[in-house]
Amino acid sequence: MSAVIDQAPTVSEPLRTGRRPAAAVLALARFEARELLRQPTVLVVFLLYAGYTYWQLLFPENGMDRYPVLHYADRATQPGTLALALVVLLAANITAQRSRRQGTDQHFDILVMEPWRRTLAHALSVVPLAALTALIVAVEFAWTALKPGAVGHGSVAELAVGPLVTLAAGIVGVLAARVIPSVLGGAVVVALGGIASLAASLFTGPDPEHSQWLDWLNPVVSENGLDPIPSALLGRPAGWHVLYLAGLTALLLCVTLLLSGGRTRLVKAGTAVALAATVGGVAGQSPSHDAALTAARTKASHAPVTAQSCVTHHRSTYCSFPEWTAWRDDWAQVVDRVQGLTGGGARGARLTIRQRIPVVYNLTDDSAIMPLRTPGEITAGTRWGGTRVPEFAVGVASVLVAGDEEAASKMCDARVVTVMWLALAAQDDPMTALRDVRIDNSVTGSAGALSITDPVLMSTEQTRIVRDLLKRPRYSVTARMKTHWAELTSPKTSLTQVAELLGVPAGKAAAEEKGAAGEEGSC
């Protein structure tokens, strides 16, 4: 008895069947995705990240978070995803080496599925984790955008960075499993990435013009430091950066498949397209010193009126860049409350509140807004809420007392008491506002009080008088303020006289007037 075998399977040539290979790849990818999600580290880190994000949304640390600028909030979703990406890289690397660790590699040689298809399945198993990252990012941004004080417009390209980084990290983990057959392969890749980043920073040095093009090769480029500016002036190549990340992710996948034996026409064509997309993204995101952008930034800083619209509330005019029109009512409430405490001509003065930005050279270096010489014109910033409310009130009170911002910045006399009481008494919690607005967060001693432009310098005795006034009923101080407005706003009135006019014991005022010129914190 004999049997004839036409063709026997060999370990070098996997069996092929009529079933579609794609179905088998997807089935294996689903299995590997479940294995990834079951890893304790992955599960814990994703839950911690989601919980931390949810906590920040419910309980913002900064009052300014209640008035988010959306073309900055979209970028804020990116840094946190780096921790997720790191965990996904290591987890994908460990999962892709399961068969090697368990000694079952040789058994796969007799299976129908080729090695490169198994590699593809491992790479596809990361997609659910990237989708989960996208869901967290979407919820975070949507929650922020739905806040009543939100202004501006988010960018889909900026929001796509986090999920793409997670996906790319997982593919890097699978690639490392093929190149470095060791459980330490993922850790080696992370270490090499850190060394490369450090070497790049040492090579380029601190000059931003030389380092910016290398910065954009990083997965996440935050560029924080400068207060928000109009979205049209950002100059961030977000679209090109997403193209670069998408192309690089696809290129890493194709290289992984090629190394695993997947030298099909489709994989080779995908490699060429991915390489072209990566190169195109790198070229597009490289800084080009756009003269038009520089000119637009300069114009918005020096002549904001050309890009703004204005509206009148009561006696005053409020001008802002188009994306900040929703904040005008909030500015008006502060102006009305401060102006309602004044006397004389200040009570009916017509003011112009104009939103301004500093001179913008790059988005990482903060710079000051210079005070205006225009009488009755007050600067409003591009952040609101928290400490920015009393800071704006200080600017309003300074102009009502001194006439213009430049004169207020040079104010070193007893008028500081009038300015600070007007600004702080208009707040819901004056003593907390006093602490928040001072540079050293104190309510005693000498310190500078912040405003949108230059700070107001408070001496120790001026601080004591203001603190005493804030503890008294507001109506009683308001009556004195209105009655003695001319004296309280005169640079010739001494601190002793101001204290007497407001009904505060002079205390050390007379001694301060004689010898406080050299005191720290006074002019």
Side-chain angles (χ1 to χ4, degrees), residues 60-69 147 149 227 327 382-389 391:
E61 298 179 359
N62 195 320
M64 287 182 283
D65 293 337
R66 296 184 177 91
Y67 295 82
V69 179
K147 290 184 178 180
D227 274 355
W327 291 358
T382 55
R383 288 192 183 277
W384 190 248
T387 60
R388 288 303 168 95
V389 178
E391 289 174 17

Side-chain angles (χ1 to χ4, degrees), residues 480-502:
R480 289 177 176 269
M481 187 70 65
K482 293 180 178 180
T483 301
H484 304 290
W485 180 256
E487 296 95 327
L488 293 173
T489 57
S490 171
K492 298 180 180 179
T493 305
S494 67
L495 189 57
T496 302
Q497 292 171 323
V498 167
E500 292 175 352
L501 291 172
L502 294 175

Side-chain angles (χ1 to χ4, degrees), residues 77 123 175 196 339 520:
T77 64
L175 175 60
Q339 202 166 12
E520 182 181 357

Side-chain angles (χ1 to χ4, degrees), residues 104-138:
T104 58
D105 265 347
Q106 64 274 19
H107 300 296
F108 287 139
D109 292 334
I110 63 173
L111 296 182
V112 175
M113 187 179 295
E114 300 95 322
W116 71 271
R117 295 188 189 275
R118 294 197 298 273
T119 300
L120 177 60
H122 279 290
L124 292 178
S125 69
V126 183
V127 172
L129 295 179
L132 183 57
T133 305
L135 178 61
I136 296 174
V137 168

Side-chain angles (χ1 to χ4, degrees), residues 49-65:
Y49 178 71
Y52 177 71
T53 301
Y54 183 66
W55 178 267
Q56 282 190 314
L57 294 175
L58 284 181
F59 306 102
E61 298 179 359
N62 195 320
M64 287 182 283
D65 293 337

Side-chain angles (χ1 to χ4, degrees), residues 212-219 221 241 244-245 248 282 285:
Q212 189 177 5
W213 72 274
L214 277 178
D215 290 341
W216 280 96
L217 295 180
N218 291 319
V221 186
H241 189 61
Y244 156 69
L245 288 178
L248 182 61
V282 171
Q285 71 184 10

Side-chain angles (χ1 to χ4, degrees), residues 37 117 168 172-173 204 213 241 273 324 353 440 452 472 483 504:
L37 289 171
R117 295 188 189 275
V172 169
T204 55
W213 72 274
H241 189 61
V273 173
W324 280 269
I353 290 77
D440 62 353
I452 304 301
R472 301 185 176 196
T483 301
V504 178

